[in-house]
Amino acid sequence: MPVLVASDLDRTLIYSAAALALTMPDARAPRLLCVEVHESRPLSYMTETAAQLLTDLGDAAVFMPTTTRTRKQYQRISLPGPPPKYAICANGGHLLVDGVSDPDWQAVVTARLADECAPLAEVQAHLAAFADPLWLRKERIAEELFAYLVVERELLPEEWVKELAVWAENRGWTVSLQGRKIYAVPKPLTKGAAVREVARRTGAELTLAAGDSLLDADLLLASDRGWRPGHGELHEEAWTAPQVTALPERGVLAGERILREFLKGVRER
């Protein structure tokens, strides 16, 4: 039976220049491979070692990128190794099969959102009314499923995010602060639910996962074994679960360690 490996991408396996600067001293910088280009600019990287590990993993297991990115944003990424048959985008809103969104899964998601949480329009109106132009740079709607803000992190009041989280919780939504982005995502929209669906379709008896943000918590809980890096929201909250290992590595080197753990888990299986 196959092993399913579901991993978050940004700040878990791949890193922007800003994320590299936060976690990687120049004196110990490893060789990097660019894996994302947008408008002729390199955006995201992984180490060359991680690239080889990911190639090996793609040959040994069903590797599935699992991201909050939209489909368009995900398609900018060129990961090493065989093209993944499955990918999860929009935090579980779209299940891609050979690059195409699965209509059956879309129908499941649409029904859950209609029944279990406040509508996107209400959340969008709240964000527009209470976000301060002093620190707000962009407002975005992703795939007509959830909303996010791009902010000046240094100017963003910490209490504003906490108050938004309480407001959203009462309406069936989750708030996550990742770098310069504040995400507001419906609780029924989860990576974990989509991962369980792919495990069912592939017949996988073992699921391995990794992620760094609060939006990855359900992904890790849906796995048999999981790992989180020594940075990100889960690290800051000291979040854990019995099947989850908190790694000491931070930044791009955490990506290498996670891929080593994936391969070890697959080979032990």
Side-chain angles (χ1 to χ4, degrees):
M1 305 299 287
V3 177
L4 176 62
V5 178
S7 183
D8 176 51
L9 294 178
D10 294 282
R11 297 193 176 216
T12 298
L13 292 189
I14 68 175
Y15 292 80
S16 67
L20 291 173
L22 289 172
T23 58
M24 188 176 65
D26 290 344
R28 293 188 287 115
R31 290 171 59 92
L32 298 174
L33 175 70
C34 178
V35 294
E36 179 185 11
V37 176
H38 180 52
E39 296 179 346
S40 302
R41 293 189 299 114
L43 290 186
S44 299
Y45 306 84
M46 63 195 321
T47 69
E48 290 186 349
T49 299
Q52 183 58 57
L53 292 168
L54 182 54
T55 300
D56 295 342
L57 182 65
D59 292 332
V62 178
F63 172 70
M64 180 170 63
T66 309
T67 180
T68 305
R69 288 179 177 232
T70 65
R71 287 170 290 175
K72 185 176 180 180
Q73 291 167 339
Y74 165 70
Q75 288 161 356
R76 297 197 304 244
I77 301 171
S78 180
L79 293 172
K85 180 175 181 61
Y86 298 98
I88 293 168
C89 294
N91 211 64
H94 287 279
L95 170 56
L96 304 188
V97 182
D98 294 323
V100 179
S101 186
D102 184 82
D104 293 336
W105 182 249
Q106 282 185 270
V108 169
V109 169
T110 299
R112 288 177 179 171
L113 294 180
D115 293 342
E116 300 174 25
C117 63
L120 172 62
E122 180 180 343
V123 176
Q124 184 181 9
H126 182 85
L127 294 174
F130 291 96
D132 191 334
L134 177 66
W135 45 259
L136 177 65
R137 294 297 171 260
K138 297 177 184 177
E139 301 175 63
R140 292 288 185 267
I141 299 299
E143 303 271 19
E144 297 301 320
L145 293 170
F146 63 89
Y148 66 93
L149 307 178
V150 181
V151 303
E152 290 291 345
R153 186 69 179 265
E154 298 80 7
L155 302 176
L156 176 68
E158 185 176 335
E159 289 303 314
W160 191 89
V161 180
K162 292 180 179 179
E163 291 169 3
L164 176 64
V166 171
W167 181 89
E169 175 76 21
N170 293 331
R171 287 156 181 83
W173 286 62
T174 298
V175 170
S176 174
L177 176 60
Q178 302 179 37
R180 297 176 58 240
K181 294 180 179 178
I182 303 172
Y183 291 91
V185 178
K187 286 190 174 184
L189 195 68
T190 67
K191 297 177 181 179
V195 166
R196 284 188 286 268
E197 172 63 14
V198 175
R200 183 189 68 80
R201 295 187 186 192
T202 60
E205 290 188 341
L206 177 68
T207 300
L208 309 178
D212 71 300
S213 80
L214 290 176
L215 295 176
D216 295 316
D218 71 276
L219 165 64
L220 295 172
L221 291 173
S223 68
D224 297 297
R225 295 181 63 190
W227 293 266
R228 65 167 176 84
H231 63 259
E233 286 183 305
L234 296 179
H235 171 73
E236 291 165 6
E237 297 287 335
W239 183 91
T240 189
Q243 74 272 38
V244 176
T245 300
L247 299 175
E249 288 87 355
R250 292 165 46 84
V252 70
L253 294 181
E256 281 189 17
R257 174 68 186 275
I258 287 167
L259 287 164
R260 292 184 197 281
E261 295 295 337
F262 282 156
L263 277 168
K264 181 180 177 182
V266 170
R267 288 165 178 165
E268 286 175 351
R269 175 62 178 160

